[in-house]
Amino acid sequence: MINLVLFGKPGAGKGTQANFLKEKYNLKHISTGDVFRFNIKNGTELGTLAKSYIDKGELVPDEVTINMLRDEVEKNPDANGFIFDGFPRTNAQAKALDNLMTDKNMKIDATIALEADDEVLIQRLLERGKVSGRSDDQDENKIRNRFEEYAEKTAPLIEFYQEQGKFHSVNGIGSIEEITERLSKVIATL
Protein backbone atom coordinates (compact mmCIF):
# COMPACT_ATOMS: atom_id res chain seq x y z
CA MET A 1 0.00 0.00 0.00
CA ILE A 2 1.25 3.47 -0.91
CA ASN A 3 -0.23 6.63 0.59
CA LEU A 4 1.00 9.92 -0.87
CA VAL A 5 0.37 13.58 -0.23
CA LEU A 6 0.77 15.85 -3.26
CA PHE A 7 1.76 19.30 -2.19
CA GLY A 8 2.01 22.59 -4.07
CA LYS A 9 0.48 25.97 -4.65
CA PRO A 10 -2.80 26.24 -6.55
CA GLY A 11 -2.13 25.51 -10.23
CA ALA A 12 1.06 23.50 -9.58
CA GLY A 13 -0.39 20.44 -11.35
CA LYS A 14 -1.39 18.28 -8.39
CA GLY A 15 -4.64 17.11 -9.96
CA THR A 16 -3.08 16.39 -13.34
CA GLN A 17 -0.25 14.38 -11.81
CA ALA A 18 -2.55 12.56 -9.40
CA ASN A 19 -4.55 11.27 -12.39
CA PHE A 20 -1.41 9.69 -13.89
CA LEU A 21 -0.16 8.31 -10.57
CA LYS A 22 -3.51 6.74 -9.63
CA GLU A 23 -3.49 4.78 -12.89
CA LYS A 24 0.17 3.78 -12.69
CA TYR A 25 0.02 2.62 -9.04
CA ASN A 26 -3.72 1.75 -8.79
CA LEU A 27 -4.41 4.30 -6.06
CA LYS A 28 -7.54 6.22 -5.07
CA HIS A 29 -7.17 9.95 -5.75
CA ILE A 30 -8.80 12.15 -3.14
CA SER A 31 -8.78 15.79 -4.22
CA THR A 32 -10.15 18.10 -1.57
CA GLY A 33 -11.05 20.50 -4.40
CA ASP A 34 -13.12 17.82 -6.13
CA VAL A 35 -14.70 16.79 -2.83
CA PHE A 36 -15.57 20.43 -2.10
CA ARG A 37 -17.03 20.93 -5.60
CA PHE A 38 -19.12 17.75 -5.29
CA ASN A 39 -20.51 18.90 -1.93
CA ILE A 40 -21.09 22.45 -3.23
CA LYS A 41 -22.82 21.24 -6.42
CA ASN A 42 -25.07 18.96 -4.38
CA GLY A 43 -25.85 21.67 -1.83
CA THR A 44 -24.74 19.70 1.21
CA GLU A 45 -24.36 21.50 4.51
CA LEU A 46 -20.56 21.09 4.37
CA GLY A 47 -20.56 22.21 0.72
CA THR A 48 -22.46 25.42 1.43
CA LEU A 49 -20.09 26.22 4.28
CA ALA A 50 -17.00 25.49 2.17
CA LYS A 51 -18.32 27.69 -0.67
CA SER A 52 -18.56 30.72 1.60
CA TYR A 53 -14.80 30.53 2.22
CA ILE A 54 -13.75 29.57 -1.32
CA ASP A 55 -15.66 32.53 -2.81
CA LYS A 56 -13.56 34.88 -0.67
CA GLY A 57 -10.32 33.17 -1.77
CA GLU A 58 -9.78 31.77 1.72
CA LEU A 59 -8.88 28.25 2.85
CA VAL A 60 -11.74 26.12 4.16
CA PRO A 61 -11.51 25.54 7.95
CA ASP A 62 -9.89 22.30 9.13
CA GLU A 63 -13.00 20.79 10.68
CA VAL A 64 -14.99 21.03 7.43
CA THR A 65 -12.12 19.63 5.37
CA ILE A 66 -11.40 16.76 7.76
CA ASN A 67 -15.05 15.71 7.90
CA MET A 68 -15.24 15.57 4.10
CA LEU A 69 -11.94 13.67 3.86
CA ARG A 70 -12.89 11.05 6.46
CA ASP A 71 -16.05 10.31 4.45
CA GLU A 72 -13.96 9.79 1.29
CA VAL A 73 -11.47 7.43 2.95
CA GLU A 74 -14.28 5.41 4.49
CA LYS A 75 -16.00 5.07 1.08
CA ASN A 76 -12.90 3.22 -0.22
CA PRO A 77 -11.94 0.53 2.32
CA ASP A 78 -10.41 -1.74 -0.33
CA ALA A 79 -8.13 0.86 -1.98
CA ASN A 80 -4.46 -0.05 -2.64
CA GLY A 81 -3.55 3.37 -1.28
CA PHE A 82 -4.50 7.00 -1.55
CA ILE A 83 -3.19 10.15 -3.15
CA PHE A 84 -4.19 13.14 -1.06
CA ASP A 85 -4.29 16.24 -3.25
CA GLY A 86 -4.75 19.59 -1.53
CA PHE A 87 -4.72 18.11 1.97
CA PRO A 88 -3.18 18.58 4.49
CA ARG A 89 -2.54 22.32 4.36
CA THR A 90 -1.66 22.89 8.02
CA ASN A 91 0.15 21.02 10.80
CA ALA A 92 -3.20 20.43 12.52
CA GLN A 93 -4.52 18.79 9.34
CA ALA A 94 -1.31 16.74 8.97
CA LYS A 95 -1.72 15.42 12.51
CA ALA A 96 -5.41 14.70 11.86
CA LEU A 97 -4.46 12.84 8.67
CA ASP A 98 -1.83 10.81 10.55
CA ASN A 99 -4.50 9.95 13.15
CA LEU A 100 -6.97 8.96 10.44
CA MET A 101 -4.33 6.76 8.76
CA THR A 102 -3.44 5.15 12.10
CA ASP A 103 -7.15 4.42 12.72
CA LYS A 104 -7.19 2.60 9.38
CA ASN A 105 -3.85 0.77 10.01
CA MET A 106 -2.16 2.87 7.34
CA LYS A 107 0.45 5.65 7.16
CA ILE A 108 1.55 8.43 4.85
CA ASP A 109 4.58 7.11 2.95
CA ALA A 110 5.70 10.34 1.27
CA THR A 111 4.81 13.95 0.73
CA ILE A 112 5.83 15.28 -2.69
CA ALA A 113 5.85 19.01 -3.41
CA LEU A 114 5.45 20.23 -6.99
CA GLU A 115 7.48 23.44 -7.15
CA ALA A 116 6.78 26.20 -9.70
CA ASP A 117 7.25 29.95 -10.07
CA ASP A 118 4.31 32.14 -8.94
CA GLU A 119 4.02 34.01 -12.24
CA VAL A 120 3.83 30.74 -14.20
CA LEU A 121 1.14 29.49 -11.83
CA ILE A 122 -0.90 32.70 -12.07
CA GLN A 123 -1.04 32.36 -15.86
CA ARG A 124 -2.03 28.67 -15.54
CA LEU A 125 -4.82 29.54 -13.11
CA LEU A 126 -6.18 32.43 -15.16
CA GLU A 127 -6.32 30.10 -18.19
CA ARG A 128 -7.99 27.38 -16.10
CA GLY A 129 -10.49 29.95 -14.84
CA LYS A 130 -11.58 30.77 -18.41
CA VAL A 131 -12.39 27.09 -19.01
CA SER A 132 -13.64 25.97 -15.59
CA GLY A 133 -15.63 29.06 -14.63
CA ARG A 134 -14.18 28.84 -11.11
CA SER A 135 -14.46 32.28 -9.49
CA ASP A 136 -11.25 31.79 -7.49
CA ASP A 137 -9.26 31.21 -10.73
CA GLN A 138 -10.48 34.35 -12.53
CA ASP A 139 -9.14 37.11 -10.29
CA GLU A 140 -5.38 37.64 -9.96
CA ASN A 141 -5.80 39.27 -6.52
CA LYS A 142 -7.69 36.22 -5.22
CA ILE A 143 -4.99 33.96 -6.68
CA ARG A 144 -2.22 35.95 -4.98
CA ASN A 145 -4.19 35.82 -1.72
CA ARG A 146 -4.36 32.02 -2.01
CA PHE A 147 -0.58 31.92 -2.60
CA GLU A 148 0.01 34.06 0.52
CA GLU A 149 -2.24 31.83 2.61
CA TYR A 150 -0.51 28.76 1.19
CA ALA A 151 2.95 30.12 2.07
CA GLU A 152 1.89 31.20 5.56
CA LYS A 153 -0.07 28.10 6.55
CA THR A 154 1.69 25.32 4.65
CA ALA A 155 5.35 26.27 5.02
CA PRO A 156 5.43 24.63 8.48
CA LEU A 157 4.30 21.36 6.83
CA ILE A 158 7.63 21.11 5.03
CA GLU A 159 9.39 20.92 8.38
CA PHE A 160 6.71 18.54 9.76
CA TYR A 161 7.30 16.03 6.95
CA GLN A 162 11.08 16.59 6.79
CA GLU A 163 11.29 15.58 10.46
CA GLN A 164 9.51 12.33 9.50
CA GLY A 165 11.86 11.84 6.51
CA LYS A 166 8.86 11.95 4.16
CA PHE A 167 9.29 15.27 2.31
CA HIS A 168 10.37 15.33 -1.36
CA SER A 169 10.54 18.32 -3.70
CA VAL A 170 9.99 17.91 -7.47
CA ASN A 171 10.30 20.50 -10.23
CA GLY A 172 6.73 21.13 -11.46
CA ILE A 173 7.75 22.89 -14.69
CA GLY A 174 8.02 20.92 -17.92
CA SER A 175 5.86 18.52 -19.87
CA ILE A 176 3.31 16.42 -18.01
CA GLU A 177 5.35 13.31 -18.90
CA GLU A 178 8.60 14.81 -17.55
CA ILE A 179 6.95 15.74 -14.26
CA THR A 180 5.30 12.30 -13.95
CA GLU A 181 8.73 10.69 -14.46
CA ARG A 182 10.23 12.86 -11.69
CA LEU A 183 7.41 11.81 -9.33
CA SER A 184 7.82 8.13 -10.27
CA LYS A 185 11.51 8.28 -9.37
CA VAL A 186 10.60 9.48 -5.87
CA ILE A 187 7.92 6.77 -5.48
CA ALA A 188 10.41 4.08 -6.60
CA THR A 189 12.55 4.90 -3.54
CA LEU A 190 9.73 4.21 -1.04
Side-chain angles (χ1 to χ4, degrees):
M1 176 171 275
I2 300 171
N3 294 304
L4 305 171
V5 173
L6 281 184
F7 204 52
K9 290 181 181 174
K14 298 180 299 292
T16 300
Q17 290 303 321
N19 284 330
F20 285 99
L21 296 175
K22 77 177 185 181
E23 296 299 322
K24 184 170 183 173
Y25 299 100
N26 197 24
L27 304 174
K28 172 67 180 162
H29 175 211
I30 298 179
S31 160
T32 50
D34 290 346
V35 173
F36 289 154
R37 285 184 283 279
F38 173 83
N39 279 276
I40 290 167
K41 180 180 177 186
N42 290 290
T44 69
E45 185 178 339
L46 289 172
T48 302
L49 186 56
K51 186 178 188 314
S52 71
Y53 292 94
I54 291 168
D55 285 348
K56 292 182 278 189
E58 296 175 3
L59 297 178
V60 176
D62 289 354
E63 184 180 352
V64 177
T65 306
I66 290 164
N67 286 338
M68 288 184 188
L69 183 73
R70 182 178 298 277
D71 289 348
E72 290 301 307
V73 170
E74 290 174 354
K75 283 182 200 172
N76 296 282
D78 299 325
N80 290 334
F82 295 93
I83 300 170
F84 296 97
D85 163 11
F87 185 96
R89 289 186 172 174
T90 64
N91 279 4
Q93 288 180 355
K95 289 173 186 165
L97 181 58
D98 281 351
N99 290 339
L100 177 58
M101 293 286 98
T102 300
D103 288 349
K104 305 293 179 189
N105 295 315
M106 297 184 280
K107 66 179 171 48
I108 296 300
D109 296 293
T111 299
I112 305 172
L114 290 171
E115 305 289 353
D117 178 73
D118 283 2
E119 298 311 312
V120 172
L121 296 179
I122 288 168
Q123 292 312 308
R124 280 186 191 173
L125 289 169
L126 290 172
E127 284 301 311
R128 183 171 84 180
K130 290 175 188 173
V131 175
S132 71
R134 287 179 52 180
S135 64
D136 59 338
D137 285 346
Q138 295 176 13
D139 180 325
E140 188 171 330
N141 290 327
K142 284 184 182 180
I143 292 168
R144 288 188 188 280
N145 183 48
R146 287 157 65 200
F147 287 177
E148 286 174 24
E149 283 204 45
Y150 173 90
E152 177 186 317
K153 294 184 177 179
T154 27
L157 280 173
I158 295 171
E159 187 176 323
F160 179 87
Y161 285 112
Q162 281 174 333
E163 287 174 1
Q164 295 183 13
K166 296 179 180 180
F167 183 80
H168 306 270
S169 180
V170 170
N171 180 353
I173 302 295
S175 72
I176 291 170
E177 295 77 17
E178 288 169 337
I179 298 164
T180 303
E181 182 59 30
R182 292 176 200 143
L183 291 169
S184 297
K185 286 179 182 175
V186 170
I187 293 168
T189 67
L190 302 178

